[in-house]
Amino acid sequence: MSKTGVFICHCGSNIAGVVAVEKVVESAKTLPGVKVAMDYKYMCSDPGQNLIINTIKEQALDRVVVGSCSPRMHENTFRMTIERAGLNPYRLEIANLREHVSWVHSEKASATDKAIKLVELAVAKVRRNEPLQKIYAEIEKRALVIGGGIAGIQAALDIAANGYKVTLVEREPSIGGRMSQLDKTFPTMDCSACILTPKMVAVAQNKDITLLTYAEVEQVHGYVGNFEVNINKKARFVSMTKCIGCGVCTEKCPSKKRLSEFNANIATRKAIYTPFPQAVPNIPVIDKDSCMYFATGKCKVCEKVCPAGAVDYTQEDEIITEKFGAIVVATGYDLYDHSSYGEYGYGEIPDVITGLQLERMINSGGPTGGHIKRPSDGKEPETVVFIQCVGSRDDAKGKPYCSRVCCMYTAKQALLLREHYPNSKAIVFYMDIRAAGKGYEEFIQRVQTEYGVLYLRGRVSRIYEKKDHLLVKGVDTLSGNQVEIKADMVVLATGLKPKKEAQNLAQLLHIGYDQNGFYTELHPKLAPVETQIAGVYLAGCCQSPKDIPDTVAQSSATAAKVGALLSKERLEIEPMISEVNPLLCSGCRMCYNACPYGAIEMEDTEIRRGEIRCVAKVLVSVCKGCGVCVAGCYCKAIDLKGWTDRQLMEQIKVISYC
Amino acid sequence: MEKDINIIGFLCNWCSYAGADLTGLNRIIYPTNIKIVRIPCTGRMDPVLIMEAFHNGADGVLVSGCHPGDCHYTEGNYYWRRRHAVLKRLLEFLGIDERRFQATWVSASEGKRFAEVVKKVVDDVRSWKKNE
């Protein structure tokens, strides 16, 4: 017979004000297996916990029921209490008498009856509680960072600074990401490259960081502390060890038709190329699709001119398998493709460009040498119209969210335009100005007053292509007037959207994403960089649109979380997980197919002496304890510790007989 | 006096149980007829448990979990949704009134909604009992 102690808490007057506690105690004393029942004003206080501890010792109790607030509040507190008294911490049940009784029922008699029933329920369950042992797992003290933009770079540097090995995987030939494409950064107007490139070099030189560029994550197995990741290192066709980065191959390459992704398609690049001169690593790649040798079998110019003999056409993709304790996802964003906007010319009017294209033009390292030129005729534009919220805050386009940076980058670009061509005119169509950042509002004001940029509140209804100019028709909703502007160029502030492949990666990692495709954090306020998969963290725009300061702050936060995880000697895992009884298991694989975590393995097991069958086995550190397998098992061979069928059946019987 | 109706509520630990806690925090009053059993996830809900509840004399059963797409265990509630669809048909076939077996989604932030759900289930089960 079990010896259960029942302890009912008054919670001041929170419970006792509605529930007749003494009646609950009296009724509990009559329940089977209950040796002692008592009440106290505040059970979670020091004297309250000591009362429990002393009673366990004096009465030699083996199980405890506490009638108090929600188990979500104090289950852990009381588990530790009974552990201090020498009991297994899992021989505890909580009857939720506050959130589920006294706070939601006003009628005292029926509330007391319900409280009595809930205590009976807990007593019935605790009778079947087994002592459970905490599970421990080893931790691989290395981190993987996916994405080499500013978010990934910052996270990798910070994790390395904490003393852990980091592997940084970037799919492009160079790290740097979107920030490396930018010219200046708002609101301070410091040059993007000047603040980013030192960090890129720091990554390359850090002995704790392994840099894998032109590589992609293909497969992820395992769990927190023990992820096993397959990374595909794509063939560069240039030897990383031999190449000296002289650039002769790029110079001599005869194929130059491919649009340059780095330059937002406003220029072309060669088939063998580095995305930009400050690339890290500064080693070119051959784009197989545009290389003449791979298409026709002739050319080999790069091989002939390379002084180091680094070109190697026989290179193949290489799969690297490595173990990591933590994974940081920092895959960044793509820009909204404005070709779905008919009113802006379906992306077919050459002089309607995107903000990023303008950014590449303003950049002195860009294809136009820092001069803003109309794509149609190369003329310097005099009047430039900026349109905000293209692919942001537009439900009709399936993009209801604000991209957060477009107001600011438009203001920055208008300022740069006015600085570059003092005779030019900049007109901005906006819906609202969102300048919530340090120094942001002041910046917008400066752009309007000092630089004379005209802000019109309203939308553009249509852009007409005329002979040598564009006619922009719109409405100024503040004055209520229709406006027609003769413009030389239109710049669209296209919004941010998750990377095209972001959902695939989410599937690999089992992390969630919202209706817009951005990865979901564990808690929007209190766990902003964690995901629902332990050991997988988020940084930067893959979680939601954000500017550079926020991205860097979030990346450092992520690094702190990774540090906290990797610094542990071993990992503690909740023992309330599934368990297979191999004698009952028929090996039907229902559980194997149902498990959302891949925590079930089918394994040849010796059931009895000489009888070997293929039965299910739970991987203890992978199982999260959801119980999907238990509900699906035909043979009742699998059960969930802490929520066993027997425990739930007992509870059901107690309530149903009311 | 006639015995009042008696309902078992199976609530998943991460959304609905927390939602019911929030109902308490907000002091929203609902009927005492429901007694709540905490489960880790609606994916844990073996249909046998529900049959057992009716078999033992429960008047009504409510199962509530995270909204589709929000499951703490990624997809446990999808399993429940499918099992629920099948079980509902079976209970209908067995002659158990559909008002007695209800399933819903209540998130951890929907305290008010939980109270409304309980009131509706209690009303439904009452109306069934009256016509019995």
Side-chain angles (χ1 to χ4, degrees):
Chain A
M1 196 65 178
S2 63
K3 285 176 279 184
T4 307
V6 178
F7 301 87
I8 309 294
C9 177
H10 292 224
C11 196
S13 63
N14 276 311
I15 294 172
V18 180
V19 174
V21 174
E22 64 291 348
K23 276 193 188 168
V24 180
V25 172
E26 284 314 308
S27 142
K29 282 180 183 163
T30 64
L31 295 171
V34 172
K35 195 167 182 203
V36 58
M38 55 181 72
D39 59 303
Y40 188 73
K41 203 120 187 110
Y42 291 105
M43 214 49 99
C44 60
S45 68
D46 244 10
Q49 292 193 42
N50 286 334
L51 175 74
I52 298 176
I53 292 173
N54 292 335
T55 317
I56 291 172
K57 287 180 178 162
E58 282 162 19
Q59 307 276 344
L61 302 176
D62 58 7
R63 288 162 172 81
V64 168
V65 166
V66 181
S68 61
C69 52
S70 171
R72 293 175 58 86
M73 182 99 183
H74 273 319
E75 191 168 49
N76 239 346
T77 315
F78 291 120
R79 273 184 186 160
M80 288 195 291
T81 310
I82 70 165
E83 194 171 21
R84 266 161 46 211
L87 283 189
N88 182 286
Y90 296 92
R91 289 206 147 166
L92 168 88
E93 283 301 320
I94 305 265
N96 188 344
L97 303 186
R98 194 177 73 178
E99 280 84 346
H100 289 188
V101 182
S102 65
W103 278 357
V104 288
H105 305 311
S106 48
E107 214 270 304
K108 288 188 180 175
S110 63
T112 304
D113 286 347
K114 181 171 171 183
I116 288 171
K117 211 71 208 174
L118 292 192
V119 170
E120 197 186 337
L121 207 64
V123 170
K125 189 178 180 198
V126 85
R127 209 179 300 138
R128 301 289 183 197
N129 273 22
E130 294 292 325
L132 303 178
Q133 301 306 326
K134 287 218 167 86
I135 303 162
Y136 296 96
E138 298 295 313
I139 300 177
E140 187 72 40
K141 295 192 179 276
R142 289 146 47 85
L144 168 70
V145 177
I146 306 172
I150 181 61
I153 288 172
Q154 186 67 40
L157 286 172
D158 284 358
I159 295 168
N162 276 334
Y164 301 105
K165 301 267 183 213
V166 186
T167 297
L168 179 60
V169 174
E170 166 61 49
R171 56 183 300 177
E172 299 297 329
S174 166
I175 56 169
R178 291 287 175 204
M179 191 176 168
S180 62
Q181 292 178 282
L182 307 182
D183 179 44
K184 301 273 194 307
T185 53
F186 59 77
T188 47
M189 300 307 273
D190 31 9
C191 140
S192 185
C194 312
I195 53 179
L196 176 67
T197 44
K199 280 195 186 284
M200 291 162 60
V201 173
V203 165
Q205 290 176 347
N206 195 313
K207 62 178 185 358
D208 286 330
I209 301 179
T210 309
L211 185 56
L212 295 177
T213 52
Y214 215 46
E216 280 181 69
V217 170
E218 296 240 306
Q219 258 181 341
V220 182
H221 293 294
Y223 49 93
V224 54
N226 294 279
F227 293 106
E228 200 176 288
V229 184
N230 287 359
I231 302 163
N232 179 13
K233 212 164 161 258
K234 292 179 276 186
R236 253 187 139 91
F237 304 110
V238 176
S239 161
M240 297 277 283
T241 45
K242 287 185 190 161
C243 175
I244 51 169
C246 64
V248 176
C249 52
T250 307
E251 202 180 296
K252 300 290 185 198
C253 175
S255 160
K256 48 187 171 187
K257 284 187 199 126
R258 195 50 79 113
L259 288 174
S260 161
E261 300 88 354
F262 183 80
N263 284 319
N265 296 344
I266 58 166
T268 53
R269 63 158 170 81
K270 305 286 184 76
I272 183 165
Y273 72 104
T274 46
F276 53 105
Q278 300 82 16
V280 171
N282 194 11
I283 295 169
V285 294
I286 296 180
D287 170 14
K288 220 173 160 180
D289 296 334
S290 47
C291 173
M292 275 157 66
Y293 171 72
F294 281 105
T296 63
K298 285 179 193 147
C299 184
K300 287 197 174 182
V301 168
C302 45
E303 190 183 34
K304 279 173 218 147
V305 297
C306 178
V311 176
D312 174 9
Y313 300 113
T314 60
Q315 248 186 34
E316 280 178 11
D317 290 5
E318 183 191 349
I319 303 280
I320 303 168
T321 306
E322 284 199 46
K323 287 193 84 174
F324 299 99
I327 299 177
V328 175
V329 189
T331 49
Y333 64 93
D334 274 333
L335 284 161
Y336 184 80
D337 174 15
H338 64 278
S339 61
S340 63
Y341 276 90
E343 59 266 47
Y344 308 146
Y346 295 109
E348 280 169 13
I349 305 176
D351 291 338
V352 176
I353 64 169
T354 67
L356 192 63
Q357 289 174 329
L358 183 72
E359 202 76 47
R360 293 310 303 151
M361 285 187 198
I362 307 170
N363 194 306
S364 54
T368 55
H371 298 292
I372 303 170
K373 288 176 177 171
R374 298 211 311 195
S376 59
D377 56 5
K379 207 186 100 184
E380 287 177 5
E382 275 172 25
T383 306
V384 178
V385 169
F386 294 85
I387 304 173
Q388 291 192 176
C389 295
V390 179
S392 299
R393 303 180 66 198
D394 193 344
D395 234 347
K397 295 282 186 283
K399 300 281 167 208
Y401 57 89
C402 169
S403 292
R404 283 189 61 186
V405 291
C406 325
C407 287
M408 294 308 296
Y409 82 62
T410 302
K412 172 193 76 180
Q413 290 174 349
L415 182 150
L416 289 171
L417 171 80
R418 295 278 296 118
E419 231 171 26
H420 206 78
Y421 302 127
N423 294 328
S424 64
K425 243 172 98 178
I427 299 159
V428 180
F429 279 93
Y430 71 100
M431 284 164 53
D432 296 291
I433 298 292
R434 300 203 161 162
K438 195 176 178 181
Y440 286 12
E441 180 58 29
E442 296 91 318
F443 181 74
I444 297 273
Q445 294 301 332
R446 228 177 86 214
V447 168
Q448 294 186 15
T449 52
E450 264 178 53
Y451 289 86
V453 175
L454 177 64
Y455 271 73
L456 292 178
R457 190 176 201 274
R459 297 292 290 177
V460 168
S461 58
R462 194 73 193 262
I463 301 170
Y464 294 94
E465 222 179 343
K466 299 287 174 192
K467 212 168 98 196
D468 63 341
H469 67 273
L470 300 170
L471 188 66
V472 181
K473 279 193 178 183
V475 62
D476 173 9
T477 53
L478 291 183
S479 68
N481 292 331
Q482 301 283 334
V483 286
E484 268 188 30
I485 296 160
K486 199 177 149 190
D488 299 300
M489 199 160 89
V490 173
V491 181
L492 305 178
T494 47
L496 277 49
K497 63 176 188 182
K499 277 274 179 199
K500 197 167 83 236
E501 303 81 0
Q503 295 190 357
N504 290 343
L505 187 62
Q507 306 280 359
L508 289 182
L509 294 164
H510 292 298
I511 60 175
Y513 46 86
D514 62 20
Q515 66 272 31
N516 300 316
F518 291 107
Y519 296 140
T520 311
E521 62 280 6
L522 184 61
H523 188 282
K525 294 176 186 70
L526 303 178
V529 298
E530 295 96 322
T531 64
Q532 74 267 39
I533 300 298
V536 179
Y537 304 91
L538 305 175
C541 287
C542 61
Q543 181 255 339
S544 79
K546 52 179 74 68
D547 54 22
I548 295 167
D550 283 3
T551 297
V552 171
Q554 199 189 22
S555 305
S556 294
T558 297
K561 291 285 175 191
V562 170
L565 170 68
L566 298 186
S567 66
K568 282 186 190 146
E569 251 176 59
R570 54 186 189 164
L571 215 61
E572 203 175 274
I573 300 169
E574 273 284 309
M576 292 157 105
I577 58 166
S578 294
E579 191 179 34
V580 179
N581 179 351
L583 275 172
L584 296 177
C585 179
S586 69
C588 70
R589 289 174 169 253
M590 274 301 279
C591 53
Y592 176 84
N593 292 327
C595 179
Y597 300 98
I600 308 251
E601 232 174 29
M602 301 304 294
E603 201 179 64
D604 285 335
T605 311
E606 187 164 7
I607 311 290
R608 297 184 193 88
R609 191 183 299 167
E611 185 191 345
I612 294 173
R613 271 197 294 128
C614 182
V615 293
K617 185 187 142 195
V618 176
L619 300 171
V620 277
S621 32
V622 187
C623 178
K624 300 266 186 249
C626 66
V628 163
C629 53
V630 184
C633 179
Y634 293 142
C635 315
K636 295 270 156 269
I638 195 162
D639 214 343
L640 183 58
K641 291 189 220 168
W643 315 91
T644 59
D645 277 340
R646 281 179 79 180
Q647 289 177 308
L648 293 177
M649 288 291 188
E650 293 284 345
Q651 289 187 296
I652 288 165
K653 275 185 195 141
V654 168
I655 308 182
S656 307
Y657 282 135
C658 275
Chain B
M1 203 184 92
E2 203 191 322
K3 217 179 79 176
D4 202 0
I5 55 161
N6 178 28
I7 294 163
I8 307 188
F10 293 99
L11 307 191
C12 89
N13 183 39
W14 304 97
C15 291
S16 294
Y17 195 91
D21 279 358
L22 186 64
T23 318
L25 275 167
N26 295 338
R27 310 291 202 280
I28 305 169
I29 306 292
Y30 59 79
T32 53
N33 306 67
I34 189 163
K35 315 284 185 297
I36 290 161
V37 173
R38 185 161 69 130
I39 51 171
C41 175
T42 48
R44 169 71 182 85
M45 272 325 286
D46 191 330
V48 170
L49 297 172
I50 291 156
M51 305 288 279
E52 188 73 11
F54 286 120
H55 177 69
N56 279 295
D59 294 306
V61 173
L62 168 71
V63 182
S64 181
C66 310
H67 285 273
D70 287 350
C71 179
H72 179 81
Y73 300 106
T74 332
E75 48 195 60
N77 55 359
Y78 292 142
Y79 281 91
W80 163 244
R81 189 161 66 175
R82 277 174 263 163
R83 285 178 186 139
H84 167 250
V86 176
L87 181 62
K88 211 172 146 64
R89 297 274 306 271
L90 176 67
L91 291 176
E92 241 174 75
F93 176 75
L94 293 175
I96 291 181
D97 193 286
E98 60 170 5
R99 284 170 287 187
R100 299 176 64 191
F101 172 49
Q102 304 205 16
T104 183
W105 319 114
V106 172
S107 82
S109 56
E110 294 176 323
K112 194 166 162 242
R113 187 174 135 73
F114 180 71
E116 285 160 7
V117 165
V118 173
K119 280 177 202 157
K120 182 187 173 290
V121 174
V122 169
D123 285 349
D124 284 354
V125 176
R126 259 215 182 102
S127 74
W128 156 76
K129 190 102 182 185
K130 217 178 255 175
N131 298 337
E132 264 299 271

